[in-house]
Amino acid sequence: MVKVTMLARVMDGLPLAEGLDDGRDVQDVEYYKQQIKALFKNLSKGQNDPSRMSVESGPYIFHYIIEGPVCYLTMCDRAYPKKLAFQYLEDLKNEFERVNGNQIETAARPYAFIKFDTFIQRTKKLYQDTRTQRNISKLNDELYEVHQIMTRNVQEVLGVGEKLDQVSQMSSRLTSESRIYADKAKDLNRQALIRKWAL
């Protein structure tokens, strides 16, 4: 279940928006929000952090996406599917960029886009129950994609196996031909020595 959602500008860690009723059912919510803010500060140092990542913290996992100048982060229960968490963040990202994209760089105060909370809450409700038909469909789509990747990988491995067989056959042929070449070279050396002695 999605517990806390925050958006921040990457270059300076400035909080841009937050789900206002987030974390009411989380014990020590302020502690986790401080961890999130510390994570934003670390990301602002520009250490080439991955654009998508999950970070464990106690019974929760922070999932984030960095897209352009914004980091979109959510804190979820460990059991919450990672695919849904990232899909939730993608939905937030798409709407936030559409509505506020040209104002992000010029935001001067924390939570300048607090009105975005309405969209956060509405979207959060869609993702709360992992058993809804909509979310099951998203997970099934992901399973299909993973299945396609696995099928492709197995086929590629089989193709590599065939190529390895060809390389092995070529290696065996080269080994036998090099023995023949070595034998012929020895014969030619002997013949050259015999001619040299005969003169």
Side-chain angles (χ1 to χ4, degrees), residues 48-59:
N48 291 333
D49 292 297
S51 61
R52 289 174 169 254
M53 186 144 187
S54 298
V55 179
E56 296 179 356
S57 179

Side-chain angles (χ1 to χ4, degrees), residues 85-155:
F86 282 110
Q87 187 62 49
Y88 167 70
L89 292 173
E90 284 287 334
D91 287 353
L92 294 180
K93 174 188 78 73
N94 292 338
E95 181 66 10
F96 192 75
E97 286 177 351
R98 186 183 72 74
V99 174
N100 305 306
N102 58 350
Q103 303 166 17
I104 296 167
E105 298 291 336
T106 59
R109 60 183 172 81
Y111 303 103
F113 305 102
I114 201 68
K115 291 180 182 177
F116 191 68
D117 168 64
T118 329
F119 184 80
I120 291 174
Q121 296 310 319
R122 195 170 53 234
T123 308
K124 182 178 166 185
K125 284 179 187 171
L126 294 173
Y127 285 89
Q128 285 302 81
D129 188 1
T130 58
R131 296 168 297 193
T132 63
Q133 188 59 42
R134 178 182 177 279
N135 291 337
I136 288 174
S137 294
K138 287 184 183 279
L139 289 173
N140 284 337
D141 290 346
E142 175 69 9
L143 284 174
Y144 178 75
E145 290 173 20
V146 169
H147 173 72
Q148 292 301 331
I149 291 168
M150 293 301 292
T151 302
R152 197 174 324 125
N153 288 344
V154 168
Q155 290 169 351

Side-chain angles (χ1 to χ4, degrees), residues 4-18:
V4 176
T5 304
M6 293 180 82
L7 284 62
R9 192 165 53 197
V10 176
M11 71 179 186
D12 55 6
L14 180 74
L16 300 173
E18 176 180 346

